[in-house]
Amino acid sequence: MRFHCLQRSLLIAVGVTLTTLATQANADFLHSNIITAGSDMTFAPYEYIDAGKPAGFDIKMLDGIAKSLNMKAVNIDTRFPNLITGLQGKRFDITNSSMYITPERLKVIDMIPYLKTGEKILALSNSHYLPQSPDQMCGHTIGAMSGTSFLQGLMTFSKNSCVAKGQAPITLREYPTDPQVTQALLSKAVEAQITDNAVAQSAIARLNGRVKMTSDKLLYPVLVGFGVRKDDPHIKQTLEMGLKKFSQTAEYHQLFEEYHFTPASEKDLQVSQAQ
């Protein structure tokens, strides 16, 4: 009798162990020892292609995190509006594309903050129209990249502020990539462009002063984060551990100094973990 009881107990234990291992496997990375990331590599200085290879702040950031975990990072070039659907479809493990953390995104994916930023407005340097804030955009044509939170913000502002006050709405034109928005600005297809602060600075440097920032203050300060699937807590926990390890290195601090970026604070990380 004791033998049969022991045998039964062993079978139950083996079954539980196999179930646990199966669950872990389902929650694990797509490829062993590799972090596969979706990244829109048209968004310098965060992520872009240089000499045929991924480059930029986000690329270096994920490389550092992967290194701290004894893993390798692989970035798959993906247009920004397709990143969340690609993540949910398990085309990659995470998104690594300077994605702003918004309530809408947190409904469908989890996010891990790693820096703070905001938007600036760009206009042609020789233009008479130099808007400093969204309330000066009513009745004007503004360009932004598809799928961005600031595009949605302008749509809401146009409806709730411009139209509600009896002014003409903002005519919004969206483009697949940020460089295409800038090209539309150069060709005068739009009167101004709203984009991330660092991206705006990169465009000004690249175009030798043909465009300039017209907003003095940082608009809509926001946290930027990696996106992870809600049903893959192991990936989130692993990435958070890697970020914590990397943040304690000199390489991490040198990276932020190189790009003049502001890292997410420990409080930001704690808030994210509590969500």
Side-chain angles (χ1 to χ4, degrees), residues 28-58:
D28 215 337
F29 293 85
L30 294 175
H31 304 287
S32 179
N33 297 319
I34 294 175
I35 303 175
T36 305
S39 180
D40 187 338
M41 297 183 210
T42 64
F43 209 54
Y46 290 101
E47 51 274 329
Y48 58 98
I49 300 294
D50 183 25
K53 295 181 179 181
F57 176 85
D58 283 341

Side-chain angles (χ1 to χ4, degrees), residues 41-256:
M41 297 183 210
T42 64
F43 209 54
Y46 290 101
E47 51 274 329
Y48 58 98
I49 300 294
D50 183 25
K53 295 181 179 181
F57 176 85
D58 283 341
I59 305 302
K60 293 179 181 179
M61 171 64 77
L62 187 58
D63 281 344
I65 291 173
K67 182 180 177 181
S68 72
L69 294 167
N70 295 317
M71 298 178 73
K72 179 182 178 182
V74 174
N75 292 274
I76 299 175
D77 191 17
T78 306
R79 295 292 72 80
F80 197 86
N82 302 322
L83 285 172
I84 291 180
T85 54
L87 176 66
Q88 292 173 322
K90 296 193 175 182
R91 188 182 172 206
F92 25 79
D93 300 311
I94 69 169
T95 63
N96 179 34
S97 205
S98 54
M99 185 176 286
Y100 290 4
I101 299 177
T102 66
E104 292 74 22
R105 287 175 180 150
L106 289 175
K107 291 178 182 178
V108 294
I109 62 173
D110 286 337
M111 299 194 74
I112 303 170
Y114 57 94
L115 69 83
K116 290 182 178 180
T117 187
E119 289 83 51
K120 287 292 185 72
I121 302 170
L122 286 178
L124 294 176
S125 296
N126 59 1
S127 175
H128 295 295
Y129 175 61
L130 302 171
Q132 296 182 342
S133 60
D135 57 9
Q136 296 176 331
M137 294 180 175
C138 300
H140 293 274
T141 303
I142 309 299
M145 190 172 78
S146 299
T148 54
S149 61
F150 40 86
L151 173 63
Q152 297 299 319
L154 282 183
M155 289 179 178
T156 301
F157 183 87
S158 179
K159 178 182 178 181
N160 296 343
S161 293
C162 299
V163 176
K165 295 178 181 179
Q167 300 180 54
I170 300 172
T171 299
L172 288 165
R173 292 185 179 171
E174 52 185 297
Y175 299 83
T177 69
D178 205 78
Q180 287 175 298
V181 185
T182 306
Q183 188 57 47
L185 176 63
L186 293 172
S187 63
K188 299 183 179 181
V190 299
E191 297 174 82
Q193 172 183 359
I194 186 166
T195 188
D196 179 86
N197 176 44
V199 176
Q201 294 184 40
S202 177
I204 291 170
R206 185 176 70 252
L207 295 171
N208 297 316
R210 294 177 64 190
V211 298
K212 70 176 184 179
M213 285 187 190
T214 60
S215 48
D216 295 330
K217 296 181 179 180
L218 197 64
L219 305 175
Y220 311 125
V222 68
L223 290 175
V224 173
F226 301 108
V228 295
R229 286 183 294 275
K230 286 184 175 291
D231 61 353
D232 275 344
H234 172 68
I235 292 179
K236 182 180 180 183
Q237 292 165 5
T238 302
L239 203 66
E240 287 173 338
M241 180 175 65
L243 177 58
K244 185 174 183 178
K245 284 185 176 182
F246 184 48
S247 68
Q248 296 169 354
T249 66
E251 182 182 355
Y252 172 89
H253 296 287
Q254 290 167 1
L255 180 60
F256 278 91

